[in-house]
Amino acid sequence: MYLPKQFEETSTPVLLGLIKAHPLATVITVSASGLNANHIPMVLAENTDGQTVLRGHVARANPILADLEVSPQTLLVFQGAEHYITPSWYATKAETEKVVPTWNYAVVHVKGQMRVVDDAAWLHQQLEDLTAQQEAGRTMPWSVNDAPAGFLDQIKQAIVGFEVQIESMVGKWKVSQNQPPGNRATVVQGLEGEGTDKALQMRDLVKKNL
């Protein structure tokens, strides 16, 4: 990933925070025929050695499992807030007209070694953790154990778990840091004017860098 220093985010809590807030990862593996990408919701956890890992599951029929025979090396991309930035928002537009559109975004790339975990108890726990993560805050949260045991057993037989031990994390927060303070302030105003959840998420990231 192209990463100018001004856009680099190195805080581990911030990087993990984005992963928790946006757990659907693009999981990239190397297959016998080239690159393969899958979109899989992940859960952060600690293994028995106290190391931070990412856990997920896929259908047993998913070719990603065969990819591990080629290489266990895996890249996971977590996409956070993102928004188009119109040059019309820049204060300097009226002064020089030397402005162009861009796209602001926050993203985390995780590299690690993937291993398959074909264990019923582990898989049940992963399903519980993933469900609890996504159901948190709901008035009537659904639990894995709400499903009939026999039905749940059928589901678990059709899927397999996997774990990625985190070897490196790289964060890129491209949130108007390359613009003068006046432009950053007017970008905040422009995003507030849009008023969508997407725009307000990016507004908050830009404001943190004012």
Side-chain angles (χ1 to χ4, degrees):
M1 176 169 60
Y2 175 56
L3 186 57
K5 196 67 177 177
Q6 61 192 325
F7 298 144
E8 185 178 13
E9 177 58 68
T10 59
S11 169
T12 297
V14 171
L15 301 181
L16 295 179
L18 184 144
I19 291 172
K20 291 176 182 177
H22 303 275
L24 182 66
T26 300
V27 182
I28 301 167
T29 51
V30 180
S31 72
S33 59
L35 296 177
N36 189 18
N38 285 271
H39 306 280
I40 305 169
M42 306 298 298
V43 177
L44 278 165
E46 283 190 3
N47 64 16
T48 54
D49 296 326
Q51 298 168 316
T52 301
V53 295
L54 286 158
R55 291 174 175 165
H57 67 269
V58 294
R60 288 187 180 275
N62 194 317
I64 193 174
L65 301 176
D67 295 350
L68 302 187
E69 298 176 9
V70 178
S71 173
Q73 188 68 26
T74 307
L75 171 65
L76 299 93
V77 179
F78 294 89
Q79 176 68 63
E82 51 84 17
H83 205 282
Y84 171 73
I85 305 298
T86 172
S88 299
W89 288 341
Y90 292 144
T92 55
K93 178 182 182 298
E95 301 168 8
T96 67
E97 291 289 348
K98 295 179 178 180
V99 291
V100 293
T102 193
W103 212 286
N104 278 5
Y105 57 89
V107 66
V108 176
H109 287 193
V110 176
K111 288 183 180 179
Q113 303 286 318
M114 182 188 291
R115 70 179 185 93
V116 173
V117 185
D118 197 359
D119 177 89
W122 186 100
L123 186 58
H124 188 93
Q125 186 62 55
Q126 197 277 331
L127 293 173
E128 285 190 337
D129 292 344
L130 178 60
T131 303
Q133 171 180 278
Q134 298 308 123
E135 291 286 329
R138 293 184 179 275
T139 304
M140 298 180 64
W142 184 85
S143 167
V144 169
N145 296 317
D146 289 346
F151 171 75
L152 195 57
D153 286 341
Q154 291 178 353
I155 295 295
K156 288 190 289 186
Q157 289 171 12
I159 60 178
V160 64
F162 69 90
E163 182 175 276
V164 177
Q165 183 174 324
I166 296 175
E167 295 179 347
S168 68
M169 290 193 297
V170 178
K172 185 174 183 179
W173 262 238
K174 183 181 176 295
V175 291
S176 299
Q177 301 99 314
N178 58 327
Q179 293 296 323
N183 280 358
R184 293 185 223 171
T186 51
V187 165
V188 167
Q189 293 172 6
L191 289 165
E192 286 181 342
E194 293 272 296
T196 63
D197 288 344
K198 180 178 175 180
L200 296 179
Q201 288 177 20
M202 181 50 64
R203 174 206 62 184
D204 292 343
L205 290 185
V206 177
K207 285 177 71 173
K208 287 181 181 178
N209 288 271
L210 282 174

